[in-house]
Each structure stands twice: as C-alpha cells, then as structure tokens.
Amino acid sequence: MQLKQYLSVGFLLAVLFAAPWPPKSHADEAPRLSIELNNLTNVGGACRVTFLMKNALGRAVTDLRFELVLFGKDQRIMRLIAVTAGQLPVGKSRVRQFDLKGIECGDVGRALLNDITQCAGDQLTPATCLAAAKLSSRIDVPFIL
C-alpha cells in the first residue's frame, strides 16, 4: 500500500472513532427536573430568591413543592423554607421568586434542596422528581442536594 492509502485509511478510522456511536438522540437523555438558583437580591428588608426551573421529565408537573435550607457563611442553618413552585409544563422554563424577610442575601453561604415534598402529575411522585433533580447555581452560592 502506498503512503497516500495509509493516510486515507487512518483518517477514516480517526473520523469513525471520534464520532459518537450510536448517535445520541433526545430519547437517550434521562428525565430531568432542572432547578437553578439564579439570583439573590436584597429587596426592602428581605432576600429575594430567584429560581429558574425547567421540566424535562416528559410529563407535566401539576404541583411542585420543596424544602429549601439556607446556610450562612458560617455554615449554620439560617432558615428552612417550604417553597411552592406550582405547575411546570413539559419542556417549559419557569421563573419563581420568593421574598425571605429578615435575611440579608450577602449572609447566605449555600442553599440545600432538603426534600421535594410534592410532585404531582401523571406517574410522578416526590421520590421520582427528587431522583431526577438537577441542581445548579448561576451565582457564588452553591445549590446542593
């Protein structure tokens, strides 16, 4: 074989092994309930907590509620909050804001999704939604499970 043929075969093998096989489809992705801690803003003696949520569970959530724990920068619990997020249609992003009186946003060190207490919908339970929860934070405050 000539050098040119070796290079062609090598190039073909490199392309084949570099490409994902089989090609990834949206059906291969695990169902997710994305909850992003998007912002904390001081507003009139309260800390406004802003979440961006997206339902990629494949079915509508008719009622979502969860427990949120805020920790101070000293890692001590500041507040346990029951959050009612409401309905989340399939594939739709929603923003929810909650004002927490008596909390200075700058004192928050991290946030914990303590539990999902309600996740109603076709074949949905709090346990299935908690297992599908994907948390993220757009700010310097970590948001963890």
Side-chain angles (χ1 to χ4, degrees):
M1 239 186 226
Q2 296 178 354
L3 180 61
K4 189 175 181 182
Q5 289 174 322
Y6 279 117
L7 292 176
S8 298
V9 170
F11 176 75
L12 179 61
L13 288 173
V15 168
L16 287 174
F17 285 108
W21 192 262
K24 189 175 182 179
S25 71
H26 291 291
D28 294 336
E29 294 177 13
R32 288 280 176 239
L33 177 60
S34 298
I35 306 172
E36 174 187 276
L37 177 58
N38 185 271
N39 205 2
L40 296 176
T41 308
N42 289 314
V43 178
C47 179
R48 179 168 290 159
V49 182
T50 303
F51 290 103
L52 174 63
M53 296 178 243
K54 183 165 185 176
N55 175 359
L57 293 168
R59 56 189 80 103
V61 176
T62 57
D63 186 14
L64 177 65
R65 299 177 203 179
F66 55 90
E67 289 179 354
L68 178 70
V69 180
L70 296 181
F71 291 83
K73 292 191 175 180
D74 61 0
Q75 299 306 312
R76 297 178 74 178
I77 296 171
M78 296 174 71
R79 180 97 39 105
L80 173 69
I81 305 130
V83 175
T84 300
Q87 298 180 357
L88 294 175
V90 177
K92 177 89 171 109
S93 295
R94 289 279 167 101
V95 173
R96 298 286 189 246
Q97 293 183 319
F98 306 94
D99 289 349
L100 306 175
K101 293 182 182 179
I103 290 184
E104 176 69 32
C105 292
D107 293 339
V108 177
R110 68 182 163 126
L112 167 73
L113 177 68
N114 198 46
D115 200 8
I116 293 181
T117 57
Q118 176 72 19
C119 188
D122 183 33
Q123 299 179 355
L124 292 175
T125 66
T128 57
C129 288
L130 185 60
K134 180 183 175 213
L135 307 183
S136 61
S137 179
R138 186 153 308 268
I139 58 176
D140 291 334
V141 176
F143 186 32
I144 61 172
L145 269 173

